[in-house]
Amino acid sequence: MEIKQPLSYPYSPAFHALLRAGLHLKLLQQVHAHLIVSGYGRNRALLTKLIKQVCAARSIEYTRRLFLVTPDPDSFLFNSIIKATSKFHFSLDSVLFYRRMIISLIRPSDYTFTSVIKACADLSVLTLGRGIHTHVLVCGYGLNIYVQSSLVAFYAKSGDLDIARKVFDRMPSRSLVAWNSMISGYEQNGLAKEAFELFEQMWKMGVEPDSPTFVSLLSACAQMGALGLGCWVHEHVVKNGFDMNVVLGTSLINMYARCGDVEKAREVFDSMSELNVVTWTAMISGYGTNGYGTEAVELFGQMRILGPSPNSVTFVAVLSACAHGGLVDEGRWVFASMSDEYGLVPGMEHHVCMVDMLGRAGLLSEAYQFIRELVPGSPAPAVWTALLGACKMHKNFVLGVEVAEHLLSVDPENPGHYVMLSNIYALAGRMDRVEMVRNIMFRRCLKKQVGYSTIEVNQKTYMFSMGDKSHPESNEIYQYLDDLMWRCREAGYVALPDSVMHEVEEEERDHALRYHSEKLAIAFGLMKTSHAVAIRIVKNLRICEDCHSAIKYISVVANREIIVRDKLRFHHFKDGVCSCLDYW
DNA sequence: TGTTCCCACG
């Protein structure tokens, strides 16, 4: 007969000692020592509880050690450790413990699967997850709603939306979590429109959304720059009395900021009762991308005093705000404070920001020196790309050609580098070289990204690409645009000469230049909206110099505020002036 | 005992 171990929850003193130790590693180690001394060092139940807490205390090494000293791990121990490691993002360990469980011939349960599949989702490992999906079916959990939801999330996060949707569609009953997983899956893969379509379906079926639903929808609005829809979501959240938690509030800030309405973003920021690092970072970044560099740095200053410790994303936001705002001195001390005050190690992205900042300000040799002296190892292509952009901006051909050639040698598959080199030659008037670079690009079958612009009218988003005639009112739009450009020319607009027409990641230069997607979208917006509302355009690439100049004139002749979000930042055009002050 | 949601660069 087996003698019961002297642990019987909740009466055992050892168990109480564990509870008291909480999440402090030191205390947990003391309890472990105590267990050993008092003869419970191999008590599986106590060790299981201890393992969960050690894992929650974020010590993966100690978690692994404890597992190794536990005799005959049972299914309870395996489930606990797989769940704990998955929950605290030690995803690889989670998968490895799962593997060990299978090898030990212990049958996984539905609880095992939800945890290990979540770990696979964190790792985005498709092949591994597919294998575990097979285990799920073999073990007979194919219809378990929790397992199915985690599979939907896993496939969506790993980028296989078709399979995610298949699993989702085959669910006999869909939980709200399953809906949320699928909606956020679309949004995270850049399919904002599909996210909204699925939400509509859910809405029509009478399923009540919750705050994760709204968070995903707000991200989708931010992605599309759809302010109207975003406001609708905000109103709905307020009307239905949802409590404004940090995540939801941060999503709202992000949505308003990325739709170009910084004031509203700040309003939400000020109204929040709890602010975390992500919230502060979202607001700082919102200021930066909208051209309010000073405000971004100021808010960062407040964060240092009142807020949580900034993380490395915060520094990217502040430094890029400094770069776009020409705030070189501020950027220098912010960068220094990163390691001096917060003990953070600057990464590649921070170096990119610094080179970008120095380069934009015309301090090319300092930028070059920064790369040589302060960037450890061999600098990533992105760092050189930043310098190259600055060379073109300040027309430094010698350095520009040198950097571009270096980039082509280390990163020959990137069409952006070829385009940049060709542009630099064009600026120098070396049209023979321009032709040569273009030919190489052609031979290697490298293509530039296709550009497009979107605009929201009456909560519907319309997309335009260059020379696009797919819109049913195409003729009217072109007519309107021609008319508009004629009025701009009357007011003094002159199209830029050919040699400076094609820039990095901008739309193809040809006779259809006049019909760049942003111009089409603006014409459509002017036709369809009333005078009081601003025109808001979202572009996937950078705005070109000619369009930038043209839009300034359009803002005057059409007497309209026009806000363009390009790949990097916002341009607020009003009365013939752009908020970027031609510094972008 | 579970599955879903927030910030940056390029």
Side-chain angles (χ1 to χ4, degrees), chain A residues 21 45 64 80 126 134 201 208 219 245 270 304 334 349 354 360 378 380 390 430 436 463 497 548 572 578 583:
Chain A
R64 293 184 195 129
S80 299
L126 257 183
T134 313
Q201 203 179 320
E208 274 297 312
S219 295
N245 61 51
D270 287 333
R304 288 158 58 91
V334 168
E349 55 277 38
M354 286 302 284
R360 278 168 193 277
S378 66
R430 296 291 306 271
M436 187 192 80
M463 188 191 278
H548 193 265
H572 293 252
C578 177
Y583 185 84

PDB file of all heavy atoms in Angstrom, chain A residues 21 45 64 80 126 134 201 208 219 245 270 304 334 349 354 360 378 380 390 430 436 463 497 548 572 578 583:
ATOM      1  N   ALA A  21       6.392  32.522  -0.164  1.00  0.00           N
ATOM      2  CA  ALA A  21       7.587  32.934  -0.910  1.00  0.00           C
ATOM      3  C   ALA A  21       7.222  33.745  -2.154  1.00  0.00           C
ATOM      4  O   ALA A  21       8.012  34.543  -2.641  1.00  0.00           O
ATOM      5  CB  ALA A  21       8.407  31.717  -1.313  1.00  0.00           C
ATOM      6  N   ALA A  45       4.669  16.542  -5.930  1.00  0.00           N
ATOM      7  CA  ALA A  45       3.609  17.551  -5.873  1.00  0.00           C
ATOM      8  C   ALA A  45       4.152  18.908  -5.432  1.00  0.00           C
ATOM      9  O   ALA A  45       3.840  19.948  -6.021  1.00  0.00           O
ATOM     10  CB  ALA A  45       2.509  17.087  -4.917  1.00  0.00           C
ATOM     11  N   ARG A  64      14.383  24.687 -15.214  1.00  0.00           N
ATOM     12  CA  ARG A  64      14.904  23.490 -15.869  1.00  0.00           C
ATOM     13  C   ARG A  64      15.568  22.565 -14.850  1.00  0.00           C
ATOM     14  O   ARG A  64      15.388  21.343 -14.879  1.00  0.00           O
ATOM     15  CB  ARG A  64      15.941  23.878 -16.931  1.00  0.00           C
ATOM     16  CG  ARG A  64      15.379  24.625 -18.107  1.00  0.00           C
ATOM     17  CD  ARG A  64      16.500  24.865 -19.134  1.00  0.00           C
ATOM     18  NE  ARG A  64      16.109  25.868 -20.108  1.00  0.00           N
ATOM     19  CZ  ARG A  64      16.844  26.935 -20.424  1.00  0.00           C
ATOM     20  NH1 ARG A  64      18.010  27.136 -19.819  1.00  0.00           N
ATOM     21  NH2 ARG A  64      16.425  27.787 -21.328  1.00  0.00           N
ATOM     22  N   SER A  80       1.844  21.274 -16.033  1.00  0.00           N
ATOM     23  CA  SER A  80       2.145  22.501 -15.292  1.00  0.00           C
ATOM     24  C   SER A  80       3.328  23.231 -15.901  1.00  0.00           C
ATOM     25  O   SER A  80       3.292  24.449 -16.091  1.00  0.00           O
ATOM     26  CB  SER A  80       2.480  22.174 -13.835  1.00  0.00           C
ATOM     27  OG  SER A  80       1.399  21.559 -13.233  1.00  0.00           O
ATOM     28  N   LEU A 126       5.794  27.200 -38.274  1.00  0.00           N
ATOM     29  CA  LEU A 126       4.699  26.514 -38.975  1.00  0.00           C
ATOM     30  C   LEU A 126       4.824  24.991 -38.980  1.00  0.00           C
ATOM     31  O   LEU A 126       3.887  24.288 -38.607  1.00  0.00           O
ATOM     32  CB  LEU A 126       4.623  27.014 -40.411  1.00  0.00           C
ATOM     33  CG  LEU A 126       3.493  28.003 -40.702  1.00  0.00           C
ATOM     34  CD1 LEU A 126       3.486  28.374 -42.165  1.00  0.00           C
ATOM     35  CD2 LEU A 126       2.134  27.416 -40.300  1.00  0.00           C
ATOM     36  N   THR A 134      -1.401  17.627 -35.890  1.00  0.00           N
ATOM     37  CA  THR A 134      -1.663  16.206 -36.168  1.00  0.00           C
ATOM     38  C   THR A 134      -1.847  15.422 -34.862  1.00  0.00           C
ATOM     39  O   THR A 134      -2.783  14.626 -34.739  1.00  0.00           O
ATOM     40  CB  THR A 134      -0.486  15.590 -36.963  1.00  0.00           C
ATOM     41  OG1 THR A 134      -0.170  16.476 -38.031  1.00  0.00           O
ATOM     42  CG2 THR A 134      -0.847  14.235 -37.506  1.00  0.00           C
ATOM     43  N   GLN A 201     -19.368  40.380 -39.896  1.00  0.00           N
ATOM     44  CA  GLN A 201     -20.059  39.094 -39.851  1.00  0.00           C
ATOM     45  C   GLN A 201     -20.392  38.710 -38.409  1.00  0.00           C
ATOM     46  O   GLN A 201     -21.499  38.276 -38.101  1.00  0.00           O
ATOM     47  CB  GLN A 201     -19.130  38.050 -40.475  1.00  0.00           C
ATOM     48  CG  GLN A 201     -19.826  36.829 -41.016  1.00  0.00           C
ATOM     49  CD  GLN A 201     -18.798  35.888 -41.632  1.00  0.00           C
ATOM     50  OE1 GLN A 201     -17.850  36.334 -42.304  1.00  0.00           O
ATOM     51  NE2 GLN A 201     -18.940  34.611 -41.373  1.00  0.00           N
ATOM     52  N   GLU A 208     -21.326  39.614 -29.079  1.00  0.00           N
ATOM     53  CA  GLU A 208     -20.906  40.860 -28.451  1.00  0.00           C
ATOM     54  C   GLU A 208     -19.378  40.961 -28.433  1.00  0.00           C
ATOM     55  O   GLU A 208     -18.708  40.095 -27.878  1.00  0.00           O
ATOM     56  CB  GLU A 208     -21.417  40.923 -27.016  1.00  0.00           C
ATOM     57  CG  GLU A 208     -22.827  41.485 -26.874  1.00  0.00           C
ATOM     58  CD  GLU A 208     -22.928  42.933 -27.347  1.00  0.00           C
ATOM     59  OE1 GLU A 208     -22.063  43.738 -26.932  1.00  0.00           O
ATOM     60  OE2 GLU A 208     -23.851  43.240 -28.121  1.00  0.00           O
ATOM     61  N   SER A 219      -6.296  48.796 -34.323  1.00  0.00           N
ATOM     62  CA  SER A 219      -5.027  48.599 -35.047  1.00  0.00           C
ATOM     63  C   SER A 219      -5.281  48.576 -36.545  1.00  0.00           C
ATOM     64  O   SER A 219      -4.482  49.097 -37.325  1.00  0.00           O
ATOM     65  CB  SER A 219      -4.365  47.285 -34.638  1.00  0.00           C
ATOM     66  OG  SER A 219      -3.998  47.329 -33.293  1.00  0.00           O
ATOM     67  N   ASN A 245      -9.128  50.190 -20.330  1.00  0.00           N
ATOM     68  CA  ASN A 245      -7.887  49.631 -19.793  1.00  0.00           C
ATOM     69  C   ASN A 245      -6.683  50.166 -20.567  1.00  0.00           C
ATOM     70  O   ASN A 245      -6.840  50.822 -21.587  1.00  0.00           O
ATOM     71  CB  ASN A 245      -7.944  48.087 -19.796  1.00  0.00           C
ATOM     72  CG  ASN A 245      -8.099  47.532 -21.201  1.00  0.00           C
ATOM     73  OD1 ASN A 245      -7.354  47.895 -22.103  1.00  0.00           O
ATOM     74  ND2 ASN A 245      -9.066  46.660 -21.378  1.00  0.00           N
ATOM     75  N   ASP A 270      -4.163  62.014 -21.953  1.00  0.00           N
ATOM     76  CA  ASP A 270      -4.368  62.748 -20.706  1.00  0.00           C
ATOM     77  C   ASP A 270      -5.506  62.184 -19.870  1.00  0.00           C
ATOM     78  O   ASP A 270      -5.555  62.384 -18.664  1.00  0.00           O
ATOM     79  CB  ASP A 270      -4.647  64.233 -21.019  1.00  0.00           C
ATOM     80  CG  ASP A 270      -3.379  64.951 -21.466  1.00  0.00           C
ATOM     81  OD1 ASP A 270      -2.285  64.514 -21.062  1.00  0.00           O
ATOM     82  OD2 ASP A 270      -3.491  65.939 -22.222  1.00  0.00           O
ATOM     83  N   ARG A 304      10.679  60.605 -18.191  1.00  0.00           N
ATOM     84  CA  ARG A 304      11.846  60.327 -17.342  1.00  0.00           C
ATOM     85  C   ARG A 304      11.563  60.636 -15.881  1.00  0.00           C
ATOM     86  O   ARG A 304      12.107  59.998 -14.981  1.00  0.00           O
ATOM     87  CB  ARG A 304      13.043  61.153 -17.810  1.00  0.00           C
ATOM     88  CG  ARG A 304      13.641  60.679 -19.119  1.00  0.00           C
ATOM     89  CD  ARG A 304      14.420  61.795 -19.795  1.00  0.00           C
ATOM     90  NE  ARG A 304      15.488  62.329 -18.958  1.00  0.00           N
ATOM     91  CZ  ARG A 304      16.726  61.866 -18.964  1.00  0.00           C
ATOM     92  NH1 ARG A 304      17.045  60.877 -19.751  1.00  0.00           N
ATOM     93  NH2 ARG A 304      17.639  62.384 -18.176  1.00  0.00           N
ATOM     94  N   VAL A 334      19.924  62.152 -25.793  1.00  0.00           N
ATOM     95  CA  VAL A 334      18.986  61.030 -25.642  1.00  0.00           C
ATOM     96  C   VAL A 334      19.719  59.709 -25.894  1.00  0.00           C
ATOM     97  O   VAL A 334      19.609  58.755 -25.124  1.00  0.00           O
ATOM     98  CB  VAL A 334      17.794  61.171 -26.608  1.00  0.00           C
ATOM     99  CG1 VAL A 334      16.991  59.876 -26.657  1.00  0.00           C
ATOM    100  CG2 VAL A 334      16.889  62.327 -26.189  1.00  0.00           C
ATOM    101  N   GLU A 349      18.743  49.416 -34.827  1.00  0.00           N
ATOM    102  CA  GLU A 349      17.715  50.415 -35.140  1.00  0.00           C
ATOM    103  C   GLU A 349      18.049  51.787 -34.551  1.00  0.00           C
ATOM    104  O   GLU A 349      17.715  52.813 -35.132  1.00  0.00           O
ATOM    105  CB  GLU A 349      16.329  49.942 -34.695  1.00  0.00           C
ATOM    106  CG  GLU A 349      16.175  49.555 -33.242  1.00  0.00           C
ATOM    107  CD  GLU A 349      16.620  48.113 -32.959  1.00  0.00           C
ATOM    108  OE1 GLU A 349      17.620  47.650 -33.544  1.00  0.00           O
ATOM    109  OE2 GLU A 349      15.974  47.454 -32.132  1.00  0.00           O
ATOM    110  N   MET A 354      20.391  57.395 -35.440  1.00  0.00           N
ATOM    111  CA  MET A 354      21.444  58.385 -35.235  1.00  0.00           C
ATOM    112  C   MET A 354      22.068  58.811 -36.567  1.00  0.00           C
ATOM    113  O   MET A 354      22.289  59.997 -36.816  1.00  0.00           O
ATOM    114  CB  MET A 354      22.533  57.820 -34.309  1.00  0.00           C
ATOM    115  CG  MET A 354      22.119  57.740 -32.848  1.00  0.00           C
ATOM    116  SD  MET A 354      21.630  59.331 -32.162  1.00  0.00           S
ATOM    117  CE  MET A 354      23.219  60.117 -31.933  1.00  0.00           C
ATOM    118  N   ARG A 360      20.605  63.781 -42.084  1.00  0.00           N
ATOM    119  CA  ARG A 360      19.598  64.755 -42.486  1.00  0.00           C
ATOM    120  C   ARG A 360      20.045  66.178 -42.186  1.00  0.00           C
ATOM    121  O   ARG A 360      19.761  67.106 -42.940  1.00  0.00           O
ATOM    122  CB  ARG A 360      18.296  64.522 -41.722  1.00  0.00           C
ATOM    123  CG  ARG A 360      17.429  63.456 -42.287  1.00  0.00           C
ATOM    124  CD  ARG A 360      16.343  63.127 -41.286  1.00  0.00           C
ATOM    125  NE  ARG A 360      15.679  61.905 -41.676  1.00  0.00           N
ATOM    126  CZ  ARG A 360      14.699  61.869 -42.569  1.00  0.00           C
ATOM    127  NH1 ARG A 360      14.279  62.974 -43.135  1.00  0.00           N
ATOM    128  NH2 ARG A 360      14.159  60.728 -42.895  1.00  0.00           N
ATOM    129  N   SER A 378      30.358  44.630 -38.165  1.00  0.00           N
ATOM    130  CA  SER A 378      30.139  45.207 -39.488  1.00  0.00           C
ATOM    131  C   SER A 378      28.710  45.727 -39.543  1.00  0.00           C
ATOM    132  O   SER A 378      27.765  45.001 -39.279  1.00  0.00           O
ATOM    133  CB  SER A 378      30.376  44.160 -40.570  1.00  0.00           C
ATOM    134  OG  SER A 378      29.414  43.142 -40.495  1.00  0.00           O
ATOM    135  N   ALA A 380      25.006  46.940 -40.234  1.00  0.00           N
ATOM    136  CA  ALA A 380      23.923  46.353 -41.023  1.00  0.00           C
ATOM    137  C   ALA A 380      23.634  47.238 -42.238  1.00  0.00           C
ATOM    138  O   ALA A 380      23.884  48.447 -42.204  1.00  0.00           O
ATOM    139  CB  ALA A 380      22.677  46.231 -40.156  1.00  0.00           C
ATOM    140  N   ALA A 390      20.999  60.326 -46.830  1.00  0.00           N
ATOM    141  CA  ALA A 390      21.521  61.654 -46.508  1.00  0.00           C
ATOM    142  C   ALA A 390      22.428  62.167 -47.619  1.00  0.00           C
ATOM    143  O   ALA A 390      22.416  63.354 -47.941  1.00  0.00           O
ATOM    144  CB  ALA A 390      22.271  61.600 -45.182  1.00  0.00           C
ATOM    145  N   ARG A 430      24.606  62.124 -64.640  1.00  0.00           N
ATOM    146  CA  ARG A 430      25.244  61.014 -65.338  1.00  0.00           C
ATOM    147  C   ARG A 430      24.190  60.045 -65.885  1.00  0.00           C
ATOM    148  O   ARG A 430      24.018  58.935 -65.383  1.00  0.00           O
ATOM    149  CB  ARG A 430      26.193  60.257 -64.379  1.00  0.00           C
ATOM    150  CG  ARG A 430      27.365  61.101 -63.896  1.00  0.00           C
ATOM    151  CD  ARG A 430      28.342  61.401 -65.030  1.00  0.00           C
ATOM    152  NE  ARG A 430      28.789  60.190 -65.699  1.00  0.00           N
ATOM    153  CZ  ARG A 430      29.839  59.488 -65.332  1.00  0.00           C
ATOM    154  NH1 ARG A 430      30.575  59.863 -64.306  1.00  0.00           N
ATOM    155  NH2 ARG A 430      30.180  58.400 -66.004  1.00  0.00           N
ATOM    156  N   MET A 436      22.593  52.346 -67.094  1.00  0.00           N
ATOM    157  CA  MET A 436      23.319  51.121 -66.775  1.00  0.00           C
ATOM    158  C   MET A 436      22.742  50.433 -65.536  1.00  0.00           C
ATOM    159  O   MET A 436      22.449  49.232 -65.548  1.00  0.00           O
ATOM    160  CB  MET A 436      24.795  51.478 -66.529  1.00  0.00           C
ATOM    161  CG  MET A 436      25.709  50.309 -66.348  1.00  0.00           C
ATOM    162  SD  MET A 436      27.305  50.881 -65.726  1.00  0.00           S
ATOM    163  CE  MET A 436      26.943  51.079 -63.987  1.00  0.00           C
ATOM    164  N   MET A 463      -8.875  52.679 -52.757  1.00  0.00           N
ATOM    165  CA  MET A 463      -7.457  52.587 -53.069  1.00  0.00           C
ATOM    166  C   MET A 463      -7.169  53.025 -54.507  1.00  0.00           C
ATOM    167  O   MET A 463      -7.922  52.690 -55.423  1.00  0.00           O
ATOM    168  CB  MET A 463      -6.976  51.156 -52.877  1.00  0.00           C
ATOM    169  CG  MET A 463      -5.471  51.029 -53.005  1.00  0.00           C
ATOM    170  SD  MET A 463      -4.912  49.342 -53.092  1.00  0.00           S
ATOM    171  CE  MET A 463      -4.908  48.908 -51.386  1.00  0.00           C
ATOM    172  N   PRO A 497      11.842  69.088 -62.992  1.00  0.00           N
ATOM    173  CA  PRO A 497      12.462  68.481 -64.174  1.00  0.00           C
ATOM    174  C   PRO A 497      12.682  66.984 -63.984  1.00  0.00           C
ATOM    175  O   PRO A 497      12.789  66.494 -62.860  1.00  0.00           O
ATOM    176  CB  PRO A 497      13.793  69.211 -64.283  1.00  0.00           C
ATOM    177  CG  PRO A 497      14.043  69.805 -62.944  1.00  0.00           C
ATOM    178  CD  PRO A 497      12.697  70.095 -62.381  1.00  0.00           C
ATOM    179  N   HIS A 548       4.813  66.472 -53.501  1.00  0.00           N
ATOM    180  CA  HIS A 548       4.892  67.293 -52.298  1.00  0.00           C
ATOM    181  C   HIS A 548       4.686  68.757 -52.649  1.00  0.00           C
ATOM    182  O   HIS A 548       3.933  69.475 -51.981  1.00  0.00           O
ATOM    183  CB  HIS A 548       6.255  67.084 -51.634  1.00  0.00           C
ATOM    184  CG  HIS A 548       6.351  67.615 -50.244  1.00  0.00           C
ATOM    185  ND1 HIS A 548       6.856  68.855 -49.959  1.00  0.00           N
ATOM    186  CD2 HIS A 548       5.971  67.083 -49.060  1.00  0.00           C
ATOM    187  CE1 HIS A 548       6.809  69.061 -48.648  1.00  0.00           C
ATOM    188  NE2 HIS A 548       6.263  67.992 -48.076  1.00  0.00           N
ATOM    189  N   HIS A 572       1.310  67.488 -43.073  1.00  0.00           N
ATOM    190  CA  HIS A 572       0.065  68.246 -42.924  1.00  0.00           C
ATOM    191  C   HIS A 572       0.163  69.487 -43.814  1.00  0.00           C
ATOM    192  O   HIS A 572       0.898  70.421 -43.490  1.00  0.00           O
ATOM    193  CB  HIS A 572      -0.131  68.675 -41.467  1.00  0.00           C
ATOM    194  CG  HIS A 572      -0.367  67.537 -40.516  1.00  0.00           C
ATOM    195  ND1 HIS A 572      -1.591  67.289 -39.950  1.00  0.00           N
ATOM    196  CD2 HIS A 572       0.460  66.580 -40.052  1.00  0.00           C
ATOM    197  CE1 HIS A 572      -1.505  66.221 -39.161  1.00  0.00           C
ATOM    198  NE2 HIS A 572      -0.266  65.778 -39.198  1.00  0.00           N
ATOM    199  N   CYS A 578       3.775  72.922 -45.740  1.00  0.00           N
ATOM    200  CA  CYS A 578       3.701  71.575 -45.175  1.00  0.00           C
ATOM    201  C   CYS A 578       4.373  71.559 -43.811  1.00  0.00           C
ATOM    202  O   CYS A 578       5.392  72.211 -43.599  1.00  0.00           O
ATOM    203  CB  CYS A 578       4.389  70.559 -46.079  1.00  0.00           C
ATOM    204  SG  CYS A 578       4.393  68.905 -45.367  1.00  0.00           S
ATOM    205  N   TYR A 583      11.481  69.338 -44.901  1.00  0.00           N
ATOM    206  CA  TYR A 583      12.600  68.643 -44.289  1.00  0.00           C
ATOM    207  C   TYR A 583      12.112  67.218 -44.021  1.00  0.00           C
ATOM    208  O   TYR A 583      11.499  66.938 -43.012  1.00  0.00           O
ATOM    209  CB  TYR A 583      12.934  69.367 -42.987  1.00  0.00           C
ATOM    210  CG  TYR A 583      14.141  68.842 -42.277  1.00  0.00           C
ATOM    211  CD1 TYR A 583      15.417  69.267 -42.632  1.00  0.00           C
ATOM    212  CD2 TYR A 583      14.008  67.939 -41.223  1.00  0.00           C
ATOM    213  CE1 TYR A 583      16.522  68.784 -41.971  1.00  0.00           C
ATOM    214  CE2 TYR A 583      15.119  67.468 -40.556  1.00  0.00           C
ATOM    215  CZ  TYR A 583      16.369  67.892 -40.935  1.00  0.00           C
ATOM    216  OH  TYR A 583      17.464  67.417 -40.270  1.00  0.00           O
TER     217      TYR A 583
END
